Amino acid sequence: MQFLIAMLAVFFFSEIALALPSVADQSPIYLAARRAIALTESSGNVCIKNKVSSASGKYQFMRGWNGFFIRNAGRSWTSVVPSCKASKLVKSRMEKYQDHLFDTYYNLQAGPFIAKARRNGWTDLELLALYHRQGEAGAWKYLRTGKDYANGKWGNTHVKVHIARVLKNMRVDLIARR
């Protein structure tokens, strides 16, 4: 019976067509989407740093986001990425800050983009993955042209591969929590 339930869940969530909330909240759907981004970006590692760019932490934000986070949340992104040698307590505290900063980013950047870009068969989760990977200008360009400016740069795979990984991580998360 559990196998049948798991198979139905896989079928039901195969497209992850669930609507994300307009603002970050504690709903299972939002938290699963946030975890799917973190798993795709860094396997959820709060202290990891990209070897070829300034991307770091659980969500792999680049240093260029520091100003946004300082203005809107009072902390820079780089201030909440601990050393991998830090204690578990420090890493846990920094993870909470990283989650809070992601929520700020979602509320002010990604969420409004998703609301504007909903169309033509794109799910909210696909749009979140696209926006997070490409930024706003790159996401709009991709939606218009299908061209991925970052493919092969900074260790990036094609955006389609990135989106597929986020969808897979969301499916796994939702099934595991059933």
Side-chain angles (χ1 to χ4, degrees):
M1 184 66 165
Q2 254 185 333
F3 176 76
L4 180 59
I5 291 170
M7 292 305 294
L8 287 172
V10 168
F11 176 75
F12 180 73
F13 293 117
S14 65
E15 293 302 316
I16 311 293
L18 304 168
L20 291 173
S22 58
V23 295
D25 61 17
Q26 295 297 305
S27 68
I29 296 304
Y30 174 75
L31 295 176
R34 190 176 73 182
R35 279 189 300 269
I37 294 291
L39 288 172
T40 304
E41 292 290 344
S42 69
S43 299
N45 186 335
V46 299
C47 66
I48 198 163
K49 295 183 183 305
N50 187 303
K51 293 174 186 161
V52 294
S53 77
S54 66
S56 61
K58 190 174 176 180
Y59 303 103
Q60 292 291 288
F61 282 104
M62 297 176 74
R63 268 192 303 267
W65 281 92
N66 279 342
F68 168 81
F69 287 123
I70 290 168
R71 281 190 308 279
N72 295 291
R75 295 190 79 108
S76 70
W77 180 257
T78 53
S79 75
V80 300
V81 179
S83 161
C84 287
K85 293 178 183 176
S87 69
K88 286 183 182 180
L89 179 64
V90 168
K91 288 179 184 175
S92 176
R93 189 171 43 229
M94 293 301 113
E95 181 173 22
K96 287 177 183 157
Y97 283 128
Q98 289 183 25
D99 290 343
H100 172 70
L101 293 182
F102 185 90
D103 294 346
T104 300
Y105 153 82
Y106 182 85
N107 290 339
L108 299 174
Q109 297 286 319
F113 168 80
I114 291 166
K116 286 186 240 167
R118 281 186 180 123
R119 62 185 166 105
N120 300 332
W122 284 81
T123 68
D124 285 5
L125 184 59
E126 289 169 330
L127 291 169
L128 174 60
L130 174 65
Y131 185 89
H132 191 69
R133 165 69 161 49
Q134 303 287 94
E136 186 164 2
W140 284 117
K141 182 176 182 177
Y142 187 81
L143 289 173
R144 279 191 316 276
T145 67
K147 292 184 180 173
D148 178 6
Y149 78 91
N151 185 29
K153 296 178 184 172
W154 313 290
N156 286 322
T157 59
H158 194 280
V159 71
K160 286 181 184 179
V161 173
H162 177 77
I163 291 170
R165 287 178 182 157
V166 172
L167 291 173
K168 178 183 174 201
N169 284 328
M170 179 85 162
R171 276 188 213 107
V172 168
D173 186 85
L174 289 172
I175 290 168
R177 295 186 185 283
R178 284 198 140 330

